Amino acid sequence: MSKRQLVLDAFNNKPVERVPVGFWFHFADSGEFTEGLRNPDIIRKNIEGHKKFVAKFRPDFVKIMSDGFFEYPNPVLFNIESPEKLLDLKPIGPEHPWIEKQVGLVRTLTDSFGDEVLTFYNIFAPATYFKMLYEKTGNRDKVLADLTMQNKDAVKHALNTIAEDLSTLARRVITEGKADGIYLSVQNVQDSRITPELYNEVIAPSELIVLETANRHSENNILHICGYEGSRNDLNLYVHYNAKVINWAVNVEGISLAEGKKLFGGRAVIGGFDNRPGGVLHSGSKEEIEALTEKLIREAGKTGIILGADCTVPGDIDLKRLDWVRNKAKDLSSQL
């Protein structure tokens, strides 16, 4: 069975000959994440990193990283003097270099290995792109929450405008870039003032705009509920999001793969391993990694399960550790 078919069967809760695995990490340095438009070498670095990883590890599928494109380049957002200024925001448009170059990145990589494995392009939620513009403030979530408290309609307009550009990006990376879908990364606003009710009113609509567009062009899209650096999420906010596969931070939220699969109505799930430095995957022995692999599969079964991590794994991880997971999953799958 091809790896493409193996993963598609897992996505669709069909029997599989082995439980597939999926891990990913950055190919650029953190200081380069926003600099792709200003420094084309970062895009080339990202492309070459993916190609080397695929050649060496032969992954079951690939999440294509958007390293270099973390900054949504809409100048209206760079200096917000008042929340009302957000009402002036307009889309950057479908032919902006920020969109064009991401489509080119994806097409280059799918041309290289898209016939072998399924590919999914990373797209952050509108609120995440908004927050990343205020990374240097040291409390980007507070900035978004403050603005929401002052003028929630202006914030909703801004996020929906960003969503229009992200919808264009999602459509084009699938139809022109030939990705099999997107990996949409969402996250609760890490500020208690943004209640579930306020999240559903102001934040969620923009996320659903992007997801609904992706779903019109591919039925295989992944929802990632990001627990990066310990960020906590109310998973119940996302149970109605129409994504084929769900990935969340099992080790941050304390919700197992088996529990999450039930919460999301039996849909396929990805994860199980802690992605953080010092965790079993990054630093444990072969025996510890194999034991955790077995525990995860015995708890969750092998139908509609893809073993992976809570989020992006450290870039210095030894690829043999990922192979230990895959090989143990293969051995167990033949026994169960």
Side-chain angles (χ1 to χ4, degrees), residues 61 72 87 102 108 155 160 179 205 254 271 280 282 287-288 332:
F61 67 96
Y72 172 68
L87 294 170
Q102 289 185 81
T108 297
V155 171
N160 287 355
V280 170
H282 181 257
E287 291 72 24
E288 289 173 321
L332 281 170

Side-chain angles (χ1 to χ4, degrees), residues 53-66:
F53 169 62
V54 169
K56 189 172 183 179
F57 182 61
R58 314 311 301 183
D60 291 338
F61 67 96
V62 174
K63 176 204 166 189
I64 298 178
M65 309 298 282
S66 57

Side-chain angles (χ1 to χ4, degrees), residues 155-312:
V155 171
K156 184 174 181 179
H157 167 79
L159 297 181
N160 287 355
T161 301
I162 298 171
E164 185 174 335
D165 284 324
L166 298 182
S167 292
T168 298
L169 177 62
R171 172 180 58 80
R172 292 191 62 191
V173 297
I174 293 170
T175 61
E176 298 173 45
K178 303 303 179 184
D180 292 288
I182 68 167
Y183 174 99
L184 181 64
S185 177
V186 302
Q187 186 184 81
N188 287 188
V189 180
Q190 303 297 298
D191 189 299
S192 61
R193 292 173 293 171
I194 305 300
T195 62
E197 294 75 21
L198 202 52
Y199 190 98
N200 282 325
E201 180 183 357
V202 178
I203 311 295
S206 62
E207 297 170 342
L208 292 171
I209 288 170
V210 180
L211 188 55
E212 287 165 4
T213 297
N215 284 334
R216 286 198 294 272
H217 299 281
S218 170
E219 64 178 20
N220 297 306
N221 294 296
I222 301 169
L223 180 70
H224 169 63
I225 306 166
C226 187
Y228 184 68
E229 294 186 337
S231 297
R232 297 300 301 272
N233 292 281
D234 178 357
L235 300 190
N236 290 291
L237 288 173
Y238 307 107
V239 294
H240 65 290
Y241 282 36
N242 184 21
K244 177 63 69 73
V245 187
I246 314 296
N247 171 228
W248 69 95
V250 165
N251 297 278
V252 174
E253 311 298 353
I255 297 175
S256 71
L257 289 179
E259 292 167 335
K261 192 169 176 59
K262 291 180 182 178
L263 177 66
F264 287 98
R267 280 177 281 176
V269 297
I270 299 174
F273 284 89
D274 193 330
N275 67 299
R276 292 169 290 190
V280 170
L281 185 67
H282 181 257
S283 304
S285 66
K286 181 180 181 182
E287 291 72 24
E288 289 173 321
I289 289 174
E290 289 181 337
L292 182 51
T293 300
E294 180 166 0
K295 178 177 182 290
L296 292 169
I297 292 177
R298 290 195 180 278
E299 286 179 352
K302 67 175 191 176
T303 302
I305 301 294
I306 300 95
L307 293 183
D310 290 347
C311 196
T312 306

Side-chain angles (χ1 to χ4, degrees), residues 27-40:
F27 299 106
D29 299 325
S30 59
E32 299 173 323
F33 289 165
T34 64
E35 301 299 312
L37 287 184
R38 290 178 282 272
N39 184 356

